[in-house]
Amino acid sequence: AAYMVRGVAMAMAWPLDSNLIAEVLPSRQRAIVFSYRSASWNCSWAIASFVVGKLIVLTNSYDVSFLTSGVFACLSIGLFTIYFARHP
């Protein structure tokens, strides 16, 4: 169930982020920022997969990966809420 909620939240966050970038930046800078965002997402995904894989092997458990994922998801929700509470 938690994985499904995460998937829905991720599917909702990406368009919000894209819309925010499109609203805030001039049209000439959008392509650059979208490419940086995509590259940072893919690099972060690769690094996180490597690190979490090592943690799973070291601890012989998925507990650390689920806990870490939950902490970062809550942090992300908090940051989005704080920012969009100020955004018109």
Side-chain angles (χ1 to χ4, degrees):
Y3 185 75
M4 290 173 59
V5 170
R6 178 198 162 273
V8 169
M10 293 282 294
M12 289 175 15
W14 194 265
L16 285 173
D17 188 45
S18 297
N19 188 41
L20 178 65
I21 291 170
E23 279 184 15
V24 173
L25 294 175
S27 60
R28 294 182 57 104
Q29 293 178 341
R30 289 180 194 152
I32 294 168
V33 172
F34 279 121
S35 64
Y36 283 150
R37 182 185 65 160
S38 181
S40 67
W41 172 265
N42 290 327
C43 289
S44 298
W45 188 270
I47 292 167
S49 297
F50 178 77
V51 170
V52 170
K54 292 289 185 184
L55 281 173
I56 291 169
V57 169
L58 286 173
T59 62
N60 200 26
S61 173
Y62 287 93
D63 293 344
V64 175
S65 64
F66 284 124
L67 180 62
T68 305
S69 176
V71 167
F72 280 112
C74 289
L75 181 63
S76 175
I77 290 168
L79 290 173
F80 261 78
T81 302
I82 289 168
Y83 180 79
F84 282 108
R86 294 180 295 150
H87 191 68

